[in-house]
Amino acid sequence: MTAFASDNYAGALPEVLAAVAQADALGHVPAYGADPVTQDAVALVRAHLGEEAQVFFVWGGTAANVLCLESLAPAHHQAIVCAESAHIYVDEGGAPERLLARKLLPVATPDGKLTPELVAPRLVRFGDEHAVQPKVLSITQSTELGTRYARAEIRALADLAHEHDMLLHLDGARIMNAAAADGCTLREATRDLGVDALSLGITKNGGLGAEAVVLFDEGHADGIAWRRKAAMQLASKQRYLSAQVHALLTDDRWRLSAAHANAMAARLAAGVTGLPGVRVTQEVQANAVFAIVPERVREALWADGFLFYVWDELTGEVRWMCSWDTTEDDVDGFVAAIARHAAG
């Protein structure tokens, strides 16, 4: 099986597994995050993102997003503005609405990216008791369509949010891919741009199963320890989550794995460009390739054992994801199969 379906299909980095084993070798240590591994991991996150960062490790990205949003929009009448393609709107099974009882206000975008001009129509009826009040602007970096916000674009959205007494949340499931592509640090890609809360993705970049809620204002962290527990995200043996975070952030290991995944996506896009019936639909700016592929070609590739998702059933658009462990041979073999079937 060769999977281009999701970077979640990939295994864990050897360094991550080694870190988990080292955490296990400690024997008995305090539970629920009172262990030295967690303390070291929190310190390392702060070294990357700022000493003021409030850091809470969780199992999954949906939980990280929900806890970030609840921290920034604590009242039921507050709403979250997001792209129509946002994970929190499309792919989290209604978790934000169910668990937070907050309204999501979606915005249509051509490339997954919000702009001040696109967001502006949602920023209305402030003070009107008959309408929900926009409180959080949520963006994804890199986006669900594989595109990447320029730093100036995030800064402009942060400024817009703050001008309206709103806050900016960044779903960073693939923030490491974006920062690697942009050649910047994680802080330069987030906090320095005015981001108020970050869902820091670990799993998709070689983690075993860990994410982090990062709040950049201590005031927003009020009560989150209880909310994390109530959301069933407080791990008793938290050292195993913390070890994964520590392994990826040590010596900028995150950058190596993310840059490799990005490079494989660029190689894949270049390989299929110009093939009959195949059209890359979004600029490849991280580790995802979106393309229109004829149905017969899709079916033939699946029969060959290649795994990937159809993104849009109406247009035939597919998504191909590359991971830290995708090899050049994987990509070249996939391209060769696409070329063979596209030629008919």
Side-chain angles (χ1 to χ4, degrees):
M1 179 181 71
T2 302
F4 290 90
S6 172
D7 33 14
N8 285 324
Y9 278 46
L13 280 161
E15 294 88 349
V16 167
L17 294 176
V20 171
Q22 290 169 7
D24 186 67
L26 293 176
H28 286 218
V29 298
Y32 299 109
D35 61 275
V37 180
T38 297
Q39 293 167 14
D40 288 346
V42 168
L44 190 52
V45 173
R46 287 175 172 163
H48 279 272
L49 293 172
E51 292 303 318
E52 76 283 5
Q54 305 297 303
V55 183
F56 304 87
F57 300 132
V58 297
W59 294 108
T62 296
N65 285 336
V66 167
L67 287 169
C68 278
L69 295 174
E70 187 176 24
S71 298
L72 300 186
H76 73 274
H77 66 281
Q78 295 170 332
I80 296 104
V81 179
C82 62
E84 197 173 53
S85 58
H87 205 274
I88 61 172
Y89 187 67
V90 177
D91 288 308
E92 290 184 343
E97 296 96 330
R98 177 177 183 268
L99 299 175
L100 302 183
R102 306 292 185 273
K103 189 173 182 62
L104 301 183
L105 303 175
V107 176
T109 74
D111 56 3
K113 299 197 308 183
L114 295 176
T115 67
E117 294 74 22
L118 291 174
V119 170
R122 285 296 194 182
L123 307 187
V124 295
R125 301 183 71 178
F126 288 102
D128 183 349
E129 66 191 79
H130 299 281
V132 292
Q133 301 294 286
K135 184 59 181 177
V136 178
L137 181 56
S138 180
I139 63 174
T140 310
Q141 177 78 319
S142 55
T143 75
E144 286 77 9
L145 295 180
T147 52
R148 191 178 79 246
Y149 286 94
R151 279 180 271 176
E153 292 173 324
I154 295 178
R155 168 54 71 182
L157 289 168
D159 290 345
L160 176 70
H162 297 155
E163 287 169 7
H164 288 82
D165 193 29
M166 296 172 61
L167 299 165
L168 181 64
H169 164 247
L170 193 151
D171 179 349
R174 298 184 178 94
I175 186 61
M176 295 178 178
N177 297 93
D182 198 27
C184 65
T185 67
L186 292 174
R187 175 168 181 151
E188 290 170 339
T190 57
R191 180 55 179 144
D192 287 353
L193 303 178
V195 172
D196 296 292
L198 167 67
S199 302
L200 178 61
I202 300 297
T203 307
K204 287 180 170 62
N205 197 30
L208 184 64
E211 313 288 316
V213 171
V214 182
L215 305 172
F216 293 109
D217 185 322
E218 186 175 359
H220 298 145
D222 186 35
I224 191 173
W226 287 270
R227 291 197 295 272
R228 178 174 61 168
K229 176 66 174 179
M232 299 170 283
Q233 289 293 316
L234 177 60
S236 57
K237 298 184 179 181
Q238 193 172 128
R239 57 176 151 158
Y240 297 112
L241 277 69
S242 306
Q244 300 172 54
V245 179
H246 197 282
L248 264 183
L249 294 183
T250 298
D251 298 327
D252 274 356
R253 188 172 290 113
W254 65 269
R255 189 182 299 276
L256 297 176
S257 51
H260 174 79
N262 294 349
M264 293 302 97
R267 186 183 185 93
L268 174 54
V272 301
T273 297
L275 294 180
V278 178
R279 177 172 61 86
V280 175
T281 56
Q282 297 289 342
E283 186 175 352
V284 177
Q285 298 179 330
N287 63 323
V289 180
F290 286 78
I292 299 291
V293 180
E295 182 178 3
R296 64 173 182 80
V297 175
R298 300 198 307 266
E299 296 289 345
L301 291 169
W302 287 325
D304 286 345
F306 294 103
L307 298 183
F308 57 89
Y309 292 127
V310 174
W311 184 260
D312 189 329
E313 294 283 353
L314 296 178
T315 64
E317 184 180 35
V318 300
R319 186 189 75 168
W320 297 323
M321 296 297 306
C322 293
S323 310
W324 69 268
D325 63 349
T326 303
T327 68
E328 291 184 357
D329 286 344
D330 290 334
V331 172
D332 294 346
F334 190 36
V335 169
I338 297 169
R340 182 174 66 253
H341 295 304

